[in-house]
Amino acid sequence: MTREEIKSLILEIIEDIDEEADFETLQPDKPLRDQLDLDSMDFLDIVMELRKRHQLQIPEEDYPHLASLNSCVNYLEPLLKNA
Amino acid sequence: MKVPLLIIGGGLSGIAAAIRFARFAPGALILEKHSRIGGLNSYYFRNNRLYETGLHAITNFAPAGNKKAPLNRLLRQLKLSRDQFVFHQQFQSEILFQGCESLVFSNDFQQLKDEINTKFPHSADGFTQLTAFLSNFDPFQITPFNSTRIFLESLLSDSLLIDMLLCPLMYYGSSIENDMDLSQFAIMFRAIFQEGMFRPGGTIKDFLDVLASHYHSLGGSLRTGAEVRTILHTNLTVHGVTLTTGETIECDYLLSTVGLSETLALLQKPETDYHVPRLSFVESIFQLPENKRSHLPQDRTIIFYNSAPEFHYCSPADLVDYSSGVICFPFNFNGLPQQEYIEVRSTHLANSSGWKALADDREGYVEQKSVTAEKSKQVLEEIIGTFKQDIVFQDTFTPLTIERYTAKKEGAIYGSPLKIKNGNLGYTNLFLAGTDQGFLGIVGSMLSGVSMVNQHILSRL
Ligand SMILES: Cc1cc2nc3c(=O)[nH]c(=O)nc-3n(C[C@H](O)[C@H](O)[C@H](O)COP(=O)(O)OP(=O)(O)OC[C@H]3O[C@@H](n4cnc5c(N)ncnc54)[C@H](O)[C@@H]3O)c2cc1C
């Protein structure tokens, strides 16, 4: 997957969690949590969706890598390079 | 047969847990002993009419936009859209200490604040401090028991107000006598006073049907009439269960929603909480034709009353304690369509061992049930006026009824006074959810199912 594709994948998953999520003003280097009102339960959803869709196993200690859109892409890029 | 996740109990916590798992992985199976799902909040038919077993009101009302509210978080976690439900908010409810004082509250918290300012001016500042304290307090942090009474006495100078605030919160969410753990108080304060109460459109059956069909559409399985007799385990690892039919079902993970000592019994382990009293209740339904509703309170959804000099929330010496209780008018919610019949429901504290002693005395039991209904009507009439003459159907549930249909020990709706807040029973792949994990009520038990699956199972898949 390209960086752009990974970005869309994350946004698609978030939209699936919260259909009212507003991406208009989303800043890719700022925490998703504050901008989109996500809580730790929602983050687990992102992890579980990645597992379901791409068989990715993300260990708990790596969850901080999912903080912002950019950090998600950086973290997932090597993992999804063949996807 | 082997499944990844087996859930004992098709009550609200079990269903919520199963949906949560089924969203991400195949193979969840719920085993429910009864012929119907819902557990404590289910329904039954008499004379071709549906009666709800337990629904007064659902706590934790929140408007659709409030993403952080427990109700919306719950729906999001289950991937249920709010559009699938119609929520009817309460009119207003009352805490009535007869001959002393009354406090009216609604889903607008300001109303309760104003009432307290007017009726308990000496405690007004203390109440403001209390709400400020609670807004910064994390009730989900696991801490040792902290007495709410002692805490409230340090803030509020009117002991009557303390009892009045505790009365609804205890009736709707305390498994211990005469006091509450501060964390549970904080949860219930928010659930009832700050967020408020509502009921879903239709009946609890419609609500359960939505949950069940959602679960099935995610690929989950459910078996009713399937009672677990033993949990199979070697040391601290569970392999599966055997049913009363003798059938064995193996599993990777097991989630039990049937209570702490009930689960220990299935593991053939001794109980740990036998010495602490459990609270049980009697619940009566009085049904009237809709055209008699003008004889009943028009703007009250629930009345929490106490007529004793002091409010006691404990197991009574007699079979039933009528000196306090809950009166619910399930037709008094905003926007409900007109029905042919309406109900008045009452709840009082009961003595479970007294009722248990009647288990083998059919005649005595039936008689005490009807005495209970009569006395309950009598105390209700003193509060809401006469309605006896209009009743077309009535029924009473005792602790025995509840034990029989939900297998809750001693019919204790709120389960063991001891709660296992992290759901951990010391086994590698068996966890506890629902009532004895400590989240009570409909929203509470569902959140319990979801959070136990999140914490112990999904994160380890
Ligand atoms: C009369 C009454 C009124 C209530 N009113 C309200 C209200 O207005 N609002 C509110 O929010 N809450 C109310 N409650 C409380 C609420 O119903 C409960 O807190 C909640 O439903 C508990 O859900 P649970 O899943 O934890 O437990 P349960 O509902 O008890 O679920 C456990 C399930 O396990 C099954 N089971 C037990 N043993 C076995 C076994 N060995 N094998 C297989 N299955 C087994 C039982 O049959 C049951 O279905 C009321 C309860 C009652 C009884």
Side-chain angles (χ1 to χ4, degrees):
Chain A
M1 271 191 179
T2 64
R3 290 181 69 85
E4 268 317 301
E5 283 168 339
I6 295 176
K7 205 185 256 178
S8 333
L9 170 69
I10 295 294
L11 293 181
E12 191 187 304
I13 289 176
I14 295 174
E15 193 164 22
D16 214 32
I17 295 169
D18 175 13
E19 50 197 49
E20 281 149 43
D22 177 12
F23 299 135
E24 289 278 299
T25 56
L26 190 68
Q27 294 179 275
D29 53 342
K30 295 264 155 64
L32 289 165
R33 178 187 287 266
D34 309 339
Q35 300 182 84
L36 297 174
D37 247 349
L38 300 177
D39 57 32
S40 54
M41 281 181 156
D42 297 320
F43 271 89
L44 183 62
D45 277 37
I46 300 179
V47 172
M48 294 310 299
E49 282 294 336
L50 288 168
R51 176 183 181 276
K52 191 165 103 181
R53 297 181 190 203
H54 295 283
Q55 292 74 49
L56 284 185
Q57 297 277 7
I58 302 179
E60 232 169 315
E61 57 273 20
D62 285 356
Y63 290 4
H65 292 300
L66 303 177
S68 74
L69 195 54
N70 283 347
S71 68
C72 281
V73 175
N74 292 341
Y75 175 72
L76 295 171
E77 196 179 12
L79 301 175
L80 290 172
K81 66 173 186 290
N82 298 321
Chain B
M1 179 179 181
K2 182 164 185 180
V3 296
L5 174 62
L6 200 55
I7 293 168
I8 313 179
L12 287 160
S13 63
I15 302 170
I19 293 176
R20 181 71 190 151
F21 183 87
R23 276 191 57 191
F24 303 111
L29 173 62
I30 301 176
L31 299 174
E32 167 56 51
K33 126 188 181 173
H34 196 40
S35 56
R36 254 179 222 131
I37 57 167
L40 290 169
N41 248 285
S42 192
Y43 56 93
Y44 64 102
F45 291 96
R46 275 299 142 73
N47 317 317
N48 280 324
R49 216 165 279 138
L50 182 148
Y51 296 92
E52 292 168 332
T53 56
L55 183 60
H56 286 187
I58 303 185
T59 58
N60 299 89
F61 179 77
N66 183 353
K67 290 188 197 171
K68 292 200 173 124
L71 176 65
N72 293 328
R73 284 171 68 176
L74 174 64
L75 294 175
R76 206 157 71 229
Q77 287 274 301
L78 298 179
K79 210 155 178 47
L80 283 162
S81 155
R82 256 185 91 127
D83 304 341
Q84 283 168 275
F85 302 96
V86 183
F87 291 156
H88 302 279
Q89 296 191 57
Q90 68 165 328
F91 290 153
Q92 47 184 2
S93 293
E94 181 177 3
I95 309 162
L96 175 68
F97 276 39
Q98 286 168 284
C100 295
E101 196 50 274
S102 140
L103 289 171
V104 177
F105 65 98
S106 63
N107 290 2
D108 175 8
F109 184 52
Q110 189 60 41
Q111 184 172 358
L112 180 63
K113 286 200 238 172
D114 293 343
E115 284 272 285
I116 289 173
N117 285 343
T118 321
K119 295 175 175 168
F120 293 98
H122 300 299
S123 292
D125 288 343
F127 190 72
T128 308
Q129 283 170 35
L130 171 65
T131 48
F133 168 83
L134 292 176
S135 64
N136 293 316
F137 178 75
D138 176 10
F140 301 106
Q141 190 97 37
I142 297 179
T143 51
F145 182 86
N146 192 349
S147 162
T148 298
R149 275 196 184 277
I150 292 174
F151 176 72
L152 291 181
E153 278 159 15
S154 73
L155 282 179
L156 305 173
S157 48
D158 296 283
S159 60
L160 175 61
L161 176 61
I162 296 178
D163 278 343
M164 290 182 80
L165 291 173
L166 284 172
C167 174
L169 308 191
M170 286 176 159
Y171 264 104
Y172 275 1
S174 180
S175 61
I176 64 167
E177 296 190 308
N178 289 325
D179 202 347
M180 288 175 92
D181 179 39
L182 190 58
S183 300
Q184 180 62 7
F185 172 80
I187 291 172
M188 295 309 297
F189 188 92
R190 173 174 186 185
I192 291 182
F193 293 142
Q194 294 181 300
E195 299 192 316
M197 297 187 280
F198 68 102
R199 64 162 291 139
T203 64
I204 191 72
K205 177 177 186 303
D206 301 306
F207 185 76
L208 291 169
D209 286 349
V210 171
L211 297 180
S213 74
H214 183 52
Y215 174 55
H216 288 302
S217 74
L218 293 167
S221 314
L222 162 72
R223 277 169 64 179
T224 51
E227 178 175 359
V228 173
R229 188 174 52 198
T230 40
I231 297 175
L232 305 168
H233 59 105
T234 316
N235 301 323
L236 298 176
T237 300
V238 164
H239 315 293
V241 300
T242 46
L243 306 185
T244 46
T245 55
E247 184 187 352
T248 297
I249 303 175
E250 290 181 283
C251 62
D252 295 327
Y253 286 97
L254 181 65
L255 189 68
S256 171
T257 70
V258 302
L260 173 58
S261 28
E262 294 85 345
T263 304
L264 293 176
L266 296 175
L267 286 159
Q268 284 151 337
K269 290 267 142 66
E271 301 179 32
T272 50
D273 60 348
Y274 53 87
H275 51 284
V276 248
R278 287 169 181 245
L279 286 163
S280 6
F281 302 84
V282 287
E283 169 95 4
S284 298
I285 306 177
F286 306 110
Q287 192 178 38
L288 293 77
E290 129 82 36
N291 61 15
K292 304 292 184 203
R293 74 187 288 167
S294 56
H295 304 181
L296 294 167
Q298 300 298 301
D299 63 346
R300 292 286 185 271
T301 304
I302 297 164
I303 299 174
F304 302 89
Y305 78 90
N306 172 53
S307 59
E310 264 179 67
F311 172 55
H312 292 291
Y313 182 79
C314 55
S315 178
D318 300 333
L319 281 181
V320 181
D321 177 0
Y322 301 95
S323 73
S324 76
V326 184
I327 313 169
C328 176
F329 308 95
F331 55 95
N332 275 342
F333 285 82
N334 272 297
L336 285 181
Q338 195 169 323
Q339 302 278 321
E340 204 182 339
Y341 293 97
I342 57 172
E343 283 176 6
V344 175
R345 305 182 72 114
S346 71
T347 309
H348 308 282
L349 286 152
N351 176 325
S352 66
S353 48
W355 284 100
K356 188 110 195 168
L358 290 168
D360 298 323
D361 168 12
R362 189 70 211 153
E363 241 167 72
Y365 176 68
V366 171
E367 189 192 322
Q368 284 309 319
K369 244 173 98 148
S370 82
V371 168
T372 301
E374 289 315 304
K375 286 205 181 151
S376 180
K377 269 185 270 184
Q378 217 172 317
V379 295
L380 262 55
E381 288 197 329
E382 282 166 32
I383 297 168
I384 63 172
T386 54
F387 64 97
K388 245 195 230 165
Q389 68 287 350
D390 300 325
I391 294 171
V392 293
F393 171 83
Q394 69 179 43
D395 203 359
T396 296
F397 315 139
T398 71
L400 287 183
T401 327
I402 294 167
E403 188 163 21
R404 176 161 162 227
Y405 287 103
T406 67
K408 281 258 174 304
K409 196 170 166 238
E410 295 173 31
I413 294 176
Y414 298 136
S416 168
L418 297 181
K419 300 298 181 197
I420 307 294
K421 289 190 183 179
N422 59 12
N424 207 327
L425 292 172
Y427 290 78
T428 54
N429 58 346
L430 159 66
F431 303 98
L432 191 69
T435 307
D436 281 351
Q437 186 260 320
F439 294 3
L440 304 174
I442 296 170
V443 171
S445 59
M446 293 180 79
L447 278 171
S448 164
V450 165
S451 57
M452 289 303 103
V453 167
N454 282 349
Q455 255 180 60
H456 298 299
I457 301 169
L458 288 183
S459 55
R460 292 212 263 154
L461 277 185

